[in-house]
Amino acid sequence: MLKRVIYLVAVLWIMMLCTAFAEEQKTDKDAGWEVIDIGPAENYEYAFNTSTIKYDRNKDGSINKNIIVYEERKMNVMIASNEYKYYTITDCKLNKDLQSILFGDEKFYTREGKYRWTDKPAYLAWITVRPETIGGDRFIALVTYAAQHDAELEARS
């Protein structure tokens, strides 16, 4: 009987270690990404990379605080989908004055993080965002983050 209890405790301990290790790996993968709250009805989760976000520079080299350069991750979280948990990372710019977003290269990854391909836009155009839309929610989240971390963004620029 004592042997069974020892085996049970050992198995539970191993399961606890495996769970803790899995949580640590998940945290490392998501480190640096801040999720944007767009509401519960969406099939995608949007996040931006807090370790690379910065202000743009003008042609003369001065910092332009009206344009924010960032990476945006869009992850499919719809469980019924065949592509469940695939994600893309898009190079983006946000213009505070024009209330618009510019989408650049979009890199596709498998759910395990394996790079697949890159889509390059045929042309670049600023897309105006409207309040109370997904674009508007993303715009507000980024502008708020930039205002709270102004010195960090300026130092990276």
Side-chain angles (χ1 to χ4, degrees), residues 4 10 21 35 40 42 56 79 85-86 118-119 128 139:
R4 288 185 184 178
F21 182 70
V35 176
E42 271 304 309
D56 202 8
I79 295 173
K85 289 286 188 180
Y86 80 85
T118 298
D119 275 349
T128 304
F139 181 87

Side-chain angles (χ1 to χ4, degrees), residues 52-70 92-95 102 126 153-154 156-157:
T52 60
I53 187 172
K54 62 183 181 178
Y55 292 122
D56 202 8
R57 290 204 172 257
N58 294 320
K59 290 181 182 180
D60 65 0
S62 62
I63 295 174
N64 184 348
K65 290 190 175 187
N66 288 323
I67 298 179
I68 301 169
V69 178
Y70 68 100
C92 302
K93 289 186 178 186
L94 180 139
N95 189 319
L102 179 92
W126 289 99
L153 272 66
E154 192 170 344
R156 283 191 203 117
S157 300

Side-chain angles (χ1 to χ4, degrees), residues 86-145:
Y86 80 85
Y87 64 96
T88 64
I89 296 178
T90 306
D91 298 329
C92 302
K93 289 186 178 186
L94 180 139
N95 189 319
K96 292 194 274 187
D97 286 342
L98 299 176
Q99 291 189 347
S100 56
I101 299 175
L102 179 92
F103 297 105
D105 292 353
E106 184 176 23
K107 297 172 224 59
F108 287 78
Y109 296 87
T110 64
R111 72 181 118 191
E112 293 83 22
K114 181 181 173 191
Y115 170 77
R116 298 295 304 269
W117 70 86
T118 298
D119 275 349
K120 295 187 179 285
Y123 60 91
L124 297 174
W126 289 99
I127 300 169
T128 304
V129 296
R130 303 279 181 245
E132 298 182 19
T133 64
I134 294 172
D137 292 342
R138 290 155 51 202
F139 181 87
I140 290 169
L142 282 150
V143 170
T144 303
Y145 183 86

